[in-house]
Amino acid sequence: MGGSRLLLIRTLMKATGSFNRMTRETDKKAKGRNIASFVGILVLYALLAVFCVSMSVLMSMFGNGDMAPVLVGTVISALGFITGLLRSNGYLFAARDYNTLMSLPFTEGTIVTAKAVTMYLHNIPFSLVISFSSLVGYSIVNGPNAATILLWVILSFFVPLIPMVIGALIGAVSTMVSSGFKHKSVIQSVLIFGLSIFFIVGSQLISRSMSPDMLEQTMATMTRITDSVGKVLPTVGLFSRALTEMSFVSALILAAVSTAVFELVFFLISRNYRKINTKLLHRHKGKDYTLTTQKSSSVLKAIVFKEWRRFVGSSVYLTNIGMGQLLGLLVTVLFAVLGPDAIITFITRGHAVEYKYVIPIVPAFLYFLICMGNSAVVSLSLEGKSFWILQSLPIPRSTVYRGKMAFNILITLPFFYLGCIVCGIRLHASAPDILLSLLVTTGFTLFSTVFGILLGIRFMNLSWENEAEVVKRGTAMSIYIIVHLIISLAMCVLFGLGGAILGTIPTLGIFSGLFFGVTLLLYMLFLRGKE
Amino acid sequence: MEVLSIRNFSKSYGKAEKAVENLSLTVESGDIFGFIGHNGAGKSTTIRSVVGVQEFEEGEILIDGHSVKSEPLACKNVCAYIPDNPDLYEHLTGIQYLNFVSDVFRISAKDREERIRRYGEEFEITGALGDLISSYSHGMKQKVAVIGALIHDPKLMVMDEPFVGLDPKAALTLKNLMHDACARGGAVFFSTHVLDVAEKLCNKIAIIKAGKIVASGTMEALIGDKSLEDVFMEVAENGR
C-alpha cells in the first residue's frame, strides 16, 4: 500500500472517526457528549456480543456447531453488502472533501481506495463483534485448536470484503447512470433499489435451481445447507471450509481473491471518479423562472415540505431511510400478486401455516420492515451546516421537531395501511382484524417516530463529512436499529403466540394499547425537554 | 515564463449551452491575475478545471508546462487551490490539517514548523491551531486553508473569492503574501467580486461574461484613466 494512500487513510480515519472528537474537543459539554456516544456504542456492542455468544453456544450444544461459521459468514457478508450498497455513495461521490482532495497531488485511484478502506475500517468493528463473540461461544463448547481460532480471526477480516465491493459497485453504477439526469438522486435511488433486488432475487433463484428437491434435502442435513450457502456465497463457503476442514488452501484463496477483487473494482471505479463527480456537482439550470401567484402554508406544512425536498434530494437519505418502506411495499405487492401461500411457503421453507396464525404476525412483520429506517432519527443531524436556518426562525424548536415527526409519519403510515389492508384481504381477515391491524400499526408508527426524534435530539451531530456518517453510522441510528431489531423480534414472537393463545383481536388490542401508552410517555418526555 | 496557460478551453454540462467557451489566457511568473465576472459567468467552472477538480473536454490547460489532463499530479504538485468556501475536515484540529497537507507535499518537519509558525503568527491563528476545526469561525477556516495553500510554496496559487470572510488585517496579510509569492517567481490567479481590491492588487485582469472572455490584458492597458468598476460595468453590461 503506497505512502500516499496510508497517509490519506490515516487522515480520513481521524477526520471521520470518534477518537479525535473525544480527545481533541475543548468544549467540555461537547466532549462529554462525544464520550457518551462512544460509550453507548460500546454498550450496544457488548449486548450484541452476549447475544452472539449465547446463540453460538446453543447452536453448538444442539450439535450444529459446524453451522456457526456458515451463519457468521452469511451475516457478516450481508452486512458487508449493505454497507457497500448504501454507504459507498456517501463516501465516494459528491463528498464535502472532494474539492480539497482532488486539488492535492493524489491520484484518483489513491483517493477512491483510501475512501473504500476507510469505509471498510469504519464498518468492520460491527462484523468483528459478531464474528469474534460467535467464536467465543463456539470455542466454549467445541474447544477448537489454536490454528482454527487463528484462521477464524484472520478470515473474519476478509469475508465481508467481496460483498461490500459488490454493493459498492452497484451503488457506483447507479450513480454513474443517474449522474447526468436532473433528478439524479431519485433515479439513483430507484436504480440502487432495483439492482439490489435483482441481485438478491437472482442469487435466490440460483440457489433454488441447483436441484429440484434440494429444499427438502437441505432441511434434512446441515451439511447441505453449508454447501448451498457456499454455492450462493462462495466466500462463505471458503470461510466455512477453511475452519471446519482446516483447509489452508480455502483460507488463502479467500484472502487473495477478496483483496484482488477489492483492488480491481475500486480501480475501475476510480477511472470514472472525476467524471461522475463533475456531473454530480453540476446543478442543472432550469428554464427561466417566471414569478407567478404564490401560496402560503402553515409553518408545520412548510417544514414537512422542506423535509420532503431534503429526502428526495439525497440518494443516501432516500435509499437508507426509504429501504424499509420499499421492502414493506414489496411484501405487500407479493402478497397481492402471489397470494399468502407462496409467501408463507417461502418463509417457512415449505411448511403450511393456517391463516389465522399469520394474521396477527403481519403488523409485526411490517413493523420490522417499514420502520427499519426512520427519518426522525437522522433529519436533525442532516441539517448539518444549514441548521442555523431553523435556529434563526421565529418559531419554537418544538415546532421544528413536530414538523420532522409529521414528515416521518407521512412517509410511514400509508405503507403500513396499504400492507395491512392488502395482506388482511388476501388472508381473509375479518373487518375488525384489519381495523385493529391499522390501529396497532398506527401505534408502531407513532412510537418509532417519537422514539426516533428523542434519539435524534439527544445525539444530534451537525458536523459530518458525509451523510452516511449520520444515516448509517451515527450513534442515534445505531441505537435505533438495535432497539428496533429487538422490538421487532419480540413483537413477531409475541404477536404469534398471542394470536395462537388469545386470538387476533385481543392480541392486537392489547398491543395497540401498549404502544399508544408507551408513545404517550415518550411524548411527555419530549414535551418536558423540547426546548 | 508562463506559469498557467489556458488555451481554447470550453466546458459544457450535458447538451446544455456551454458554461465556458473558447477561453484562452496566460498567467506569467510574477503575475497577480484577477478573474472577474458576474455570478454564473463561468469563473468557478474555469478555476475548478484549472486545479483538476473538474473534467473538461475541449482545450488545454498547462501549469508550469505540464498538462492538467495528462499530468495531473505534476500540476497539483506546484499548485495550491483555495475554494470559495473551504470545506476542511471539521474533526481534525487546525494543526492536524496543516500536518496532513505538509505530509502530502512531503515538507520536512523543520520547514513545516517554520512555515506554520510564520503564517500562523501573520494570520494570528497560532493559538487556535490545537482546536477542532469545527469550532472555528468562517474566517478562521479560511485562514487555515490559506496557510495550507502556502505551506508548500506553490508556483501557482489559484483562489476562488479568497477575501470572503477574512478580517481586514488578515486580508492585508494575504495581499502581502500574494506579493511575496510573486516576488519569489510564483503567480496568483484568483476570482473576486471586490473590484477595488482587484484594481489595487492585480497587474493583469480578465473579465468573463456568459462563459466568454470579453476583456483581458494588463491593468493599465485595460482601464486607462478610468476605474476598474467603470470598465467592468461598461464591458459586463454592454458587452463593449
Side-chain angles (χ1 to χ4, degrees):
Chain A
M1 201 178 279
S4 304
R5 202 198 285 191
L6 276 176
L7 168 67
L8 190 52
I9 293 167
R10 213 171 58 220
T11 307
L12 289 173
M13 287 301 289
K14 272 187 203 167
T16 57
S18 51
F19 185 73
N20 225 33
R21 263 180 281 179
M22 284 194 297
T23 53
R24 304 285 180 159
E25 182 62 69
T26 45
D27 180 342
K28 279 189 181 169
K29 213 172 165 185
K31 191 171 190 167
R33 242 190 343 257
N34 292 336
I35 292 172
S37 297
F38 185 71
V39 172
I41 296 286
L42 285 184
V43 170
L44 288 175
Y45 278 180
L47 289 173
L48 182 67
V50 170
F51 176 76
C52 291
V53 170
S54 318
M55 288 297 290
S56 191
V57 166
L58 279 175
M59 205 183 267
S60 300
M61 281 170 67
F62 285 106
N64 293 328
D66 283 355
M67 274 294 289
V70 179
L71 204 61
V72 166
T74 307
V75 170
I76 62 177
S77 293
L79 284 171
F81 177 72
I82 292 166
T83 297
L85 183 72
L86 300 180
R87 295 187 195 183
S88 60
N89 282 340
Y91 276 89
L92 294 176
F93 302 115
R96 263 163 48 174
D97 57 357
Y98 173 73
N99 284 344
T100 307
L101 293 182
M102 282 299 288
S103 66
L104 292 172
F106 289 122
T107 62
E108 283 142 64
T110 302
I111 296 172
V112 170
T113 44
K115 289 207 159 212
V117 171
T118 309
M119 175 172 74
Y120 166 79
L121 291 176
H122 276 312
N123 292 292
I124 196 70
F126 194 74
S127 297
L128 292 184
V129 168
I130 293 171
S131 181
F132 292 171
S133 49
S134 300
L135 170 63
V136 171
Y138 177 80
S139 304
I140 290 170
V141 180
N142 299 297
N145 58 31
T148 306
I149 294 173
L150 190 67
L151 271 185
W152 188 312
V153 169
I154 293 171
L155 294 181
S156 296
F157 288 89
F158 289 97
V159 174
L161 264 179
I162 289 183
M164 188 186 96
V165 169
I166 292 170
L169 191 62
I170 291 175
V173 169
S174 311
T175 310
M176 195 153 42
V177 173
S178 63
S179 60
F181 292 91
K182 186 178 176 186
H183 299 289
K184 48 190 76 141
S185 297
V186 176
I187 293 168
Q188 191 181 343
S189 306
V190 169
L191 283 170
I192 287 175
F193 286 141
L195 286 171
S196 47
I197 288 168
F198 175 79
F199 180 78
I200 293 163
V201 172
S203 55
Q204 281 294 323
L205 289 176
I206 293 166
S207 153
R208 273 149 205 273
S209 64
M210 280 185 286
S211 114
D213 54 353
M214 190 152 170
L215 206 64
E216 293 302 316
Q217 294 169 11
T218 49
M219 290 306 291
T221 63
M222 291 299 177
T223 317
R224 295 216 177 203
I225 289 180
T226 311
D227 290 346
S228 100
V229 173
K231 280 173 189 162
V232 179
L233 300 167
T235 47
V236 178
L238 288 168
F239 180 60
S240 171
R241 263 198 301 286
L243 298 177
T244 52
E245 298 167 19
M246 280 308 294
S247 166
F248 287 98
V249 175
S250 297
L252 276 175
I253 292 173
L254 174 60
V257 171
S258 297
T259 312
V261 169
F262 181 90
E263 289 283 347
L264 178 70
V265 168
F266 285 108
F267 169 75
L268 291 175
I269 291 175
S270 74
R271 305 280 292 175
N272 293 292
Y273 181 64
R274 190 162 57 159
K275 186 184 276 177
I276 297 172
N277 275 297
T278 300
K279 285 185 177 175
L280 283 178
L281 293 168
H282 167 64
R283 297 283 168 244
H284 282 264
K285 267 189 192 168
K287 289 176 186 164
D288 278 347
Y289 178 70
T290 315
L291 192 64
T292 52
T293 315
Q294 303 295 299
K295 288 177 190 165
S296 64
S297 74
S298 68
V299 173
L300 200 69
K301 215 169 154 187
I303 294 170
V304 169
F305 178 72
K306 182 206 82 68
E307 199 57 38
W308 167 253
R309 296 299 304 168
R310 179 74 175 87
F311 184 60
V312 295
S314 156
S315 65
V316 175
Y317 193 4
L318 188 58
T319 46
N320 282 277
I321 301 301
M323 183 61 95
Q325 280 90 336
L326 184 89
L327 290 174
L329 185 66
L330 193 68
V331 166
T332 305
V333 171
L334 289 175
F335 247 89
V337 176
L338 302 176
D341 291 330
I343 311 287
I344 294 166
T345 312
F346 182 84
I347 292 172
T348 60
R349 299 250 158 192
H351 294 279
V353 181
E354 278 187 63
Y355 286 178
K356 66 175 181 181
Y357 298 119
V358 179
I359 294 167
I361 300 174
V362 167
F365 187 58
L366 287 174
Y367 169 71
F368 164 65
L369 297 175
I370 294 173
C371 290
M372 206 178 276
N374 184 336
S375 70
V377 181
V378 296
S379 61
L380 278 167
S381 293
L382 283 178
E383 293 290 338
K385 287 181 176 174
S386 310
F387 191 57
W388 67 270
I389 301 171
L390 295 176
Q391 279 179 308
S392 62
L393 294 176
I395 50 171
R397 212 178 261 193
S398 56
T399 308
V400 173
Y401 301 153
R402 282 199 189 95
K404 288 182 178 290
M405 287 196 278
F407 174 71
N408 188 60
I409 291 168
L410 283 173
I411 60 165
T412 306
L413 215 45
F415 291 93
F416 267 129
Y417 285 178
L418 185 70
C420 287
I421 292 169
V422 170
C423 297
I425 292 170
R426 293 296 269 152
L427 286 164
H428 311 304
S430 65
D433 285 347
I434 294 176
L435 281 174
L436 275 167
S437 297
L438 299 180
L439 189 69
V440 80
T441 51
T442 307
F444 287 156
T445 307
L446 295 178
F447 163 74
S448 62
T449 302
V450 180
F451 178 55
I453 200 82
L454 286 172
L455 286 175
I457 295 167
R458 179 68 189 83
F459 299 102
M460 199 190 309
N461 168 22
L462 299 172
S463 50
W464 34 264
E465 294 301 330
N466 60 64
E467 291 172 333
E469 275 181 54
V470 172
V471 177
K472 295 303 288 180
R473 277 184 41 230
T475 310
M477 202 58 190
S478 303
I479 294 173
Y480 175 80
I481 287 288
I482 300 266
V483 173
H484 172 72
L485 288 177
I486 293 168
I487 293 177
S488 300
L489 194 67
M491 287 302 109
C492 284
V493 173
L494 291 174
F495 276 46
L497 285 174
I501 298 165
L502 301 171
T504 302
I505 291 177
T507 304
L508 294 181
I510 290 167
F511 281 102
S512 296
L514 185 74
F515 270 87
F516 277 106
V518 173
T519 306
L520 192 66
L521 288 174
L522 288 176
Y523 195 70
M524 283 161 67
L525 196 67
F526 164 75
L527 289 176
R528 271 179 56 192
K530 64 187 177 184
E531 292 304 320
Chain B
M1 184 195 157
E2 287 182 0
V3 179
L4 169 66
S5 171
I6 304 177
R7 297 173 193 160
N8 308 112
F9 164 70
S10 296
K11 172 73 193 168
S12 57
Y13 297 103
K15 290 172 188 166
E17 198 180 321
K18 284 186 172 170
V20 179
E21 192 173 355
N22 204 25
L23 185 148
S24 296
L25 57 84
T26 304
V27 181
E28 293 179 327
S29 171
D31 280 348
I32 299 184
F33 196 114
F35 195 39
I36 57 178
H38 283 306
N39 292 331
K43 298 188 298 294
S44 293
T45 296
T46 307
I47 284 180
R48 288 166 59 80
S49 298
V50 166
V51 297
V53 167
Q54 182 174 262
E55 282 220 321
F56 62 96
E57 299 78 30
E58 292 177 47
E60 182 62 281
I61 298 175
L62 302 175
I63 295 177
D64 199 28
H66 301 287
S67 162
V68 168
K69 265 186 188 168
S70 56
E71 303 164 276
L73 289 191
C75 294
K76 290 173 187 179
N77 266 319
V78 295
C79 177
Y81 170 51
I82 304 172
D84 51 350
N85 191 10
D87 266 324
L88 307 178
Y89 290 118
E90 302 267 321
H91 297 310
L92 292 186
T93 62
I95 194 72
Q96 283 177 330
Y97 174 76
L98 294 176
N99 271 308
F100 164 63
V101 178
S102 304
D103 286 335
V104 172
F105 286 98
R106 296 180 176 84
I107 313 286
S108 70
K110 192 178 159 227
D111 285 349
R112 77 177 65 175
E113 196 181 319
E114 187 266 316
R115 289 173 197 174
I116 292 170
R117 178 165 291 124
R118 173 155 52 99
Y119 296 132
E121 279 167 14
E122 289 199 44
F123 283 110
E124 298 177 337
I125 199 172
T126 311
L129 288 179
D131 296 340
L132 289 178
I133 291 173
S134 57
S135 69
Y136 287 5
S137 67
H138 177 82
M140 289 164 84
K141 285 179 191 170
Q142 187 80 352
K143 287 176 184 178
V144 171
V146 170
I147 298 174
L150 289 165
I151 209 159
H152 65 102
D153 200 11
K155 280 192 178 169
L156 174 67
M157 282 173 71
V158 180
M159 299 185 267
D160 204 349
E161 293 291 342
F163 298 103
V164 174
L166 290 182
D167 57 56
K169 180 158 188 297
L172 179 67
T173 305
L174 179 58
K175 285 176 206 166
N176 291 336
L177 288 170
M178 285 159 85
H179 281 300
D180 289 350
C182 291
R184 289 198 303 271
V188 177
F189 179 63
F190 76 104
S191 72
T192 184
H193 289 297
V194 191
L195 298 181
D196 286 347
V197 170
E199 188 172 345
K200 284 176 191 157
L201 193 60
C202 305
N203 64 322
K204 284 184 186 166
I205 206 102
I207 300 175
I208 182 169
K209 183 187 177 186
K212 292 176 186 163
I213 297 276
V214 287
S216 72
T218 61
M219 186 64 80
E220 299 86 45
L222 198 68
I223 66 172
D225 53 359
K226 296 179 188 167
S227 72
L228 179 60
E229 191 173 25
D230 291 337
V231 173
F232 177 76
M233 295 312 284
E234 206 175 288
V235 170
E237 295 302 320
N238 308 323
R240 177 125 68 174

